Amino acid sequence: MDKLNHYRNLIKQVLTEYDNLSNQSSDRHSETCLVFDENHDHYLWLTVDWQGSKRLKYTHVHIRIKNDKIYIEEDWTEEGIATELMRLGVASSEIVLAFQPPDVRGFTDFAIA
């Protein structure tokens, strides 16, 4: 299996696990969605719902694959998606914390770009 497909499968696995856990919670009040765009390599876990007349729509996680690396664009999970990906064998040098400004990334243990 090539690296790109391997990364796609790992990302989908991690996001699906988070979504399944969220859906099992007794404290669940809103609907979540998984969006996997393999043509453009964007992967999202979202909440899209209504609370009365108020529209709920926010992104929990946004990941994309760019230049053979995994870019974490947004991550509101408690453990951190990077931690989950490393648990599955992805090296920190293959992960970019893209939600951090480029000049700050050099101070992390992850890839700059």
Side-chain angles (χ1 to χ4, degrees):
M1 181 184 312
D2 68 277
K3 183 176 172 180
L4 180 60
N5 281 328
H6 182 60
Y7 284 172
R8 285 174 174 157
N9 289 333
L10 289 178
I11 291 166
K12 290 188 292 186
Q13 176 187 334
V14 168
L15 294 182
T16 300
E17 288 172 2
Y18 269 92
D19 190 54
N20 287 341
L21 282 172
S22 173
N23 288 328
Q24 292 173 0
S25 171
S26 61
D27 194 30
R28 182 174 175 263
H29 300 289
S30 54
E31 181 181 354
T32 59
C33 304
L34 292 170
V35 180
F36 301 151
D37 176 1
E38 290 190 6
N39 289 330
H40 302 96
D41 281 317
H42 283 261
Y43 305 87
L44 295 107
W45 177 39
L46 311 163
T47 287
V48 180
D49 209 346
W50 287 93
Q51 196 169 52
S53 61
K54 182 179 177 188
R55 180 73 171 154
L56 299 176
K57 183 173 178 269
Y58 43 86
T59 304
H60 302 283
V61 177
H62 176 195
I63 301 170
R64 65 182 174 142
I65 300 173
K66 177 181 170 187
N67 300 329
D68 292 327
K69 295 198 187 248
I70 298 172
Y71 279 64
I72 301 174
E73 299 289 343
E74 191 161 354
D75 180 2
W76 294 99
T77 64
E78 195 168 311
E79 291 294 321
I81 294 299
T83 301
E84 295 294 331
L85 292 170
M86 290 190 306
R87 180 179 58 81
L88 294 171
V90 178
S92 61
S93 61
E94 296 293 306
I95 299 170
V96 177
L97 301 180
F99 56 83
Q100 296 282 359
D103 60 324
V104 173
R105 296 178 197 164
F107 298 107
T108 71
D109 292 332
F110 295 91
I112 296 171

